[in-house]
Amino acid sequence: MEPRSLLAGLSLGIVVLVAVIIVGNAALSGVRKQLSACSAEKAELQRRLENLTRLVKELNQSLAEKTAQLQRSISELNSCRRENSRLEMSLQSYQREAARLQEELSRAKQLYRVAAENATILRERMEKLLAELAAARQKIMEMNETVARLRAAAASCAALRANYTRLLEDYQRLRASYSQLLSKAKSLETEVADLKRMLASKQEECSELRETLRNETKVLNATLRELAALRKAVLRTAAWYEAVNQSLEAKFYDQALRLAANQCFQEASRLGIQGYSLAYRAERVFTYIETGYTIQLPQATRYIDPYSYEVRVAYGGLQLPNETMMLRAGDPWSLALLAYGLLQASATGTNQHYYLIRLYTTKGIFSAALAVEETYSGKYYYIIDPGDDYYNDAAIVLEAYIGSVPEGELTTLWPWQLSGHLKSTLLGKFQANMTYIDTMTWTPGAKPRTMDNPDVVLSHWYLWLRSLYGDMSLIKIDIHGIGVHEVLYSLAQAAQWLRLKG
């Protein structure tokens, strides 16, 4: 071969090689562009994957919150309707979110297929370039580096596939959670339906109860009207009965007080108290009853109730002075009547008034004789309660020696502790001494006081009764004289009556 033709062939070969190298460089630049595009797509896919992961976490957190809300809504029966609508809206939003996630997953799958197809095309082109450039390996070192980068990109694609697998598992768990939420929503709907049925039945029961209440209200109103009419009739009857009872009681006390004065005339003469002052006669009557009579409890009387035919027991009954003097014993009411009869039978002037006063309390009824004397200097009051050993702030006690005298023990005895015969015997044989004690200070040796204030007279007597029988409440006060019958309801009213009319 001629040198010229050889040179021309070599020049042609060099030109062809340069052209091939130029074409390879152009192909390599295209591959670089495709790899950069793949990297951008990979970054975009990874960003979307992170967004999907964040959305999944938020959805899990939202699912946990909604589950807690559902559990609380089960206990809140009164707000079932509002919670039901809210849960339905939440369920619809969850369904829309799941649909959106499915669309995102579909787009991710499509992008993955595009990336896989691009990787396959690149791999085919690389194989062609390697076949074409087998003779110029030392010239294509950069292409080997490019191949290494492509392998790194393939590894990145494998990591992307692993992330996709993980995302698919998260989606499966999300779907399972959604199924549980859907089942809970269905059970909640069932419970809401049951509650609606129960509410309907309760409303029917309430309607029936309202109807029953209206009927019963009508009956109650009719009964109340009848009761009001009966109450008016009872009040009219009670007023009539009270008037009749007061009239009968006034007649009874008028007769009893007259009989007491007549029956006590001889006893008052025997005692020699006629013609003396009221203070002397009151003290003499008080000591006479206290030292000569036995204080006994009210007698129990059995009787048959004419309406029920049952045997009942009534305690207390007024005993006239002739019976009391014959028995030398009586209850406090009878002894007070005896004291009244003795004072009335020995009256020395028209300026003296005598009454039988009775206190009705929560601890019982207490009776006493009350004498009022009008003088130029004012009124004086004397209250004698033989049943409770009281006379104008003084009480009688007996001092007797128990055992041989003088070595015996001096003992204080109350009159109500001894019989009338025993008291008379002890005093008559000088085996006991009679003395007074002050009922306000409990000091011995005091004398009965002359009292001109009716408030003090009544309040001190009442305090003495409270000291004997304990705390009590006053109900009413009866004051009876011949032709005088008063019913009062406080000590102040009684004192005012005594001050003005007594």
Side-chain angles (χ1 to χ4, degrees), residues 130-148:
L130 289 173
E132 291 176 354
L133 297 177
R137 292 180 179 176
Q138 62 274 15
K139 297 292 185 180
I140 57 173
M141 294 297 295
E142 295 179 359
M143 294 178 67
N144 290 332
E145 294 177 358
T146 302
V147 171

Side-chain angles (χ1 to χ4, degrees), residues 112-392:
Y112 176 75
R113 286 196 296 271
V114 171
E117 290 175 358
N118 291 333
T120 305
I121 293 171
L122 288 174
R123 191 178 292 108
E124 292 175 355
R125 289 181 180 179
M126 188 183 297
E127 291 177 353
K128 290 179 181 179
L129 287 173
L130 289 173
E132 291 176 354
L133 297 177
R137 292 180 179 176
Q138 62 274 15
K139 297 292 185 180
I140 57 173
M141 294 297 295
E142 295 179 359
M143 294 178 67
N144 290 332
E145 294 177 358
T146 302
V147 171
R149 286 196 297 273
L150 288 174
R151 288 177 180 174
S156 298
C157 288
L160 183 62
R161 187 181 294 108
N163 291 332
Y164 169 74
T165 303
R166 214 166 29 250
L167 180 62
L168 185 61
E169 292 175 354
D170 293 340
Y171 171 74
Q172 294 295 335
R173 286 194 297 272
L174 179 62
R175 187 171 182 179
S177 300
Y178 172 73
S179 299
Q180 293 178 358
L181 182 62
L182 188 60
S183 63
K184 289 181 179 179
K186 288 180 180 179
S187 64
L188 184 60
E189 289 176 356
T190 304
E191 291 180 0
V192 170
D194 295 337
L195 288 173
K196 287 180 179 178
R197 288 193 296 271
M198 291 174 63
L199 179 61
S201 64
K202 293 298 181 183
Q203 288 176 349
E204 293 177 359
E205 292 180 3
C206 288
S207 300
E208 294 176 358
L209 289 174
R210 289 192 189 98
E211 185 65 26
T212 304
L213 179 60
R214 283 194 291 271
N215 297 332
E216 295 297 331
T217 303
K218 293 179 181 178
V219 175
L220 178 60
N221 291 332
T223 305
L224 288 176
R225 288 192 292 271
E226 293 179 2
L227 182 60
L230 288 174
R231 186 179 288 112
K232 291 180 181 178
V234 168
L235 290 175
R236 288 195 297 270
T237 306
W240 176 82
Y241 174 78
E242 184 67 22
V244 173
N245 187 45
Q246 289 180 359
S247 176
L248 292 175
E249 187 177 21
K251 292 180 180 179
F252 166 77
Y253 274 107
D254 283 343
Q255 186 68 17
L257 295 177
R258 286 191 179 96
L259 286 174
N262 292 333
Q263 292 175 1
C264 291
F265 183 79
Q266 291 183 356
E267 187 69 12
S269 299
R270 190 185 66 83
L271 291 176
I273 60 175
Q274 293 176 340
Y276 287 91
S277 66
L278 179 57
Y280 172 80
R281 289 187 291 114
E283 184 177 357
R284 183 72 177 88
V285 168
F286 177 60
T287 57
Y288 163 70
I289 297 175
E290 287 289 327
T291 58
Y293 285 79
T294 302
I295 301 173
Q296 62 186 15
L297 296 176
Q299 298 297 318
T301 303
R302 290 179 175 83
Y303 68 97
I304 298 177
D305 190 335
Y307 299 101
S308 62
Y309 298 102
E310 295 179 355
V311 177
R312 300 185 182 275
V313 179
Y315 291 93
L318 184 60
Q319 185 174 268
L320 291 175
N322 59 347
E323 298 174 299
T324 305
M325 289 185 292
M326 180 184 65
L327 298 173
R328 291 290 169 172
D331 60 11
W333 191 13
S334 301
L335 295 178
L337 182 61
L338 175 61
Y340 167 86
L342 291 172
L343 291 174
Q344 181 70 59
S346 61
T348 57
T350 58
N351 63 332
Q352 299 170 2
H353 306 283
Y354 302 95
Y355 305 100
L356 186 67
I357 183 170
R358 307 196 75 196
L359 295 185
Y360 292 79
T361 69
T362 54
K363 289 294 181 67
I365 304 173
F366 304 95
S367 304
L370 176 63
V372 181
E373 184 178 19
E374 296 184 21
T375 65
Y376 292 106
S377 59
K379 288 184 178 181
Y380 295 95
Y381 304 90
Y382 305 89
I383 190 164
I384 302 171
D385 181 3
D388 297 298
D389 308 324
Y390 179 85
Y391 167 53
N392 281 24

Side-chain angles (χ1 to χ4, degrees), residues 454-493:
D455 292 286
V456 175
V457 172
L458 295 176
S459 61
H460 284 195
W461 179 37
Y462 185 62
L463 289 173
W464 171 252
L465 295 176
R466 289 167 64 97
S467 68
L468 296 179
Y469 300 100
D471 193 16
M472 64 178 71
S473 298
L474 183 64
I475 300 174
K476 69 174 183 175
I477 303 172
D478 285 353
I479 299 178
H480 299 283
I482 298 176
V484 177
H485 307 282
E486 294 293 333
V487 180
L488 306 164
Y489 296 95
S490 68
L491 295 176
Q493 287 183 356

